[in-house]
Structures are given as structure tokens and as C-alpha cells.
Amino acid sequence: YQRRVHGGHGGQHANKTDSAVRITHIPSGLVISCQDERSQNVNKTKAMTTLSERLLDLKAREIRDRMAAVRKTQVTGTDRSDKVRTYHYGQGRVTDHRIGYTRNDLPAVLSGESLGEFTMRLREADCLAIAEVRAADLLDAVRSAVAAAKGRSRPVTT
């Protein structure tokens, strides 16, 4: 957090007071400046609000990118090796290669009786992938909070 003299137009008052504020968020490198108001406290509050909004946007974008990466691994091109399922009539089995599930009752799958099992397991795999991403995000947040708490010289009060 730095205070500085207001730059630009404004006359004598702007050149005499330290009303402008610049806040640097060290972990992300974001720099927010505010010199809209005549009061340093109001400018500081506005800058902190802007900083928190940008950090939330940054975190949301990061989560969206990670979710997109998870989904991209599930959806692939049209290459022959990118099979979704293999139906092996000689052995009477069906294998879904996306989740690695094999069912040894081909006639039941083809008639639709056991097809629900495949969709249920696909949903479970998708939910598990989403939960892993969220758990990793939560772990990152806890680690950064612990690191921030260790960096403080005085205990945190709520």
C-alpha cells in the first residue's frame, strides 16, 4: 500500500494532499491505483474493493480453465484410437474406454437394459474429476492462507 500525490488536474489542493493510493498484491502482481476522491481513506477503500473483485475474477477464470482442461481430456478428436466403446461380439463384452469399465453382458447392453449402468458410471467419473479440481483449489487456498498467516507479525483477530 502506497500513498502518493494526486496526478493530473485539480488545482492547488490536489498538489498538497496525499490522497491517491496504489495497492500492489504481491502474490499475483496486480497493481490497483485510485485517485478518484479527495479522501485517502475513500480511495483506499475503492482500491481494495477493486482489488478483491479482480482477484475473484482471476480465481474464477483459473477454475474455469481447469474445468475446461478436465472436460477437454474427456472429449477427444475423431482418430481411430479415440474409441468411446468397444463391442466384442465373440466374447460378449462391452468396454467403455473413457472410464475403463467393462460389462460382460453384450445382449443386455444392446437391448438397453444395462446401458444405464454406463451412463451412471460416466456421471460418477465426471463428478469425481470436478471434485478433484475443487479439492485442489481448496488445498491451494488453505496453503496460501497458512503462508499468509506465517508472514504476519501479529496474530489474526476476527
Side-chain angles (χ1 to χ4, degrees):
Y1 158 71
Q2 293 176 336
R3 50 178 205 203
R4 56 195 177 92
V5 176
H6 179 351
H9 302 291
Q12 294 173 347
H13 180 74
N15 297 329
K16 289 182 181 177
T17 60
D18 291 336
S19 61
V21 174
R22 179 174 36 222
I23 298 175
T24 304
H25 186 255
I26 295 172
S28 66
L30 283 175
V31 178
I32 306 295
S33 297
C34 184
Q35 58 186 20
D36 297 342
E37 305 293 330
R38 292 179 76 167
S39 167
Q40 182 185 18
N41 289 334
V42 174
N43 284 332
K44 183 178 178 184
T45 304
K46 279 181 142 182
M48 289 298 283
T49 303
T50 304
L51 178 64
S52 64
E53 289 171 357
R54 288 193 186 167
L55 287 173
L56 285 173
D57 287 343
L58 193 68
K59 189 66 175 173
R61 187 179 316 124
E62 180 182 312
I63 290 172
R64 276 194 309 271
D65 291 345
R66 290 178 72 186
M67 295 296 288
V70 166
R71 286 193 179 102
K72 190 172 184 177
T73 61
Q74 295 174 353
V75 178
T76 58
T78 57
D79 190 22
R80 184 173 169 84
S81 65
D82 295 332
K83 295 185 269 189
V84 173
R85 284 194 201 103
T86 301
Y87 298 88
H88 196 282
Y89 290 94
Q91 296 177 0
R93 69 177 159 84
V94 180
T95 302
D96 193 315
H97 299 286
R98 296 171 291 183
I99 54 175
Y101 175 66
T102 301
R103 172 87 179 177
N104 290 319
D105 192 8
L106 179 64
V109 173
L110 291 176
S111 68
E113 295 172 23
S114 299
L115 199 55
E117 213 173 309
F118 283 95
T119 58
M120 179 187 68
R121 289 181 185 258
L122 276 169
R123 285 187 185 129
E124 287 175 358
D126 190 39
C127 289
L128 184 62
I130 290 170
E132 287 174 357
V133 168
R134 289 186 179 159
D137 289 338
L138 181 61
L139 186 60
D140 290 344
V142 168
R143 285 182 179 152
S144 64
V146 168
K150 284 182 180 179
R152 292 186 182 137
S153 59
R154 56 190 166 103
V156 178
T157 57
T158 56

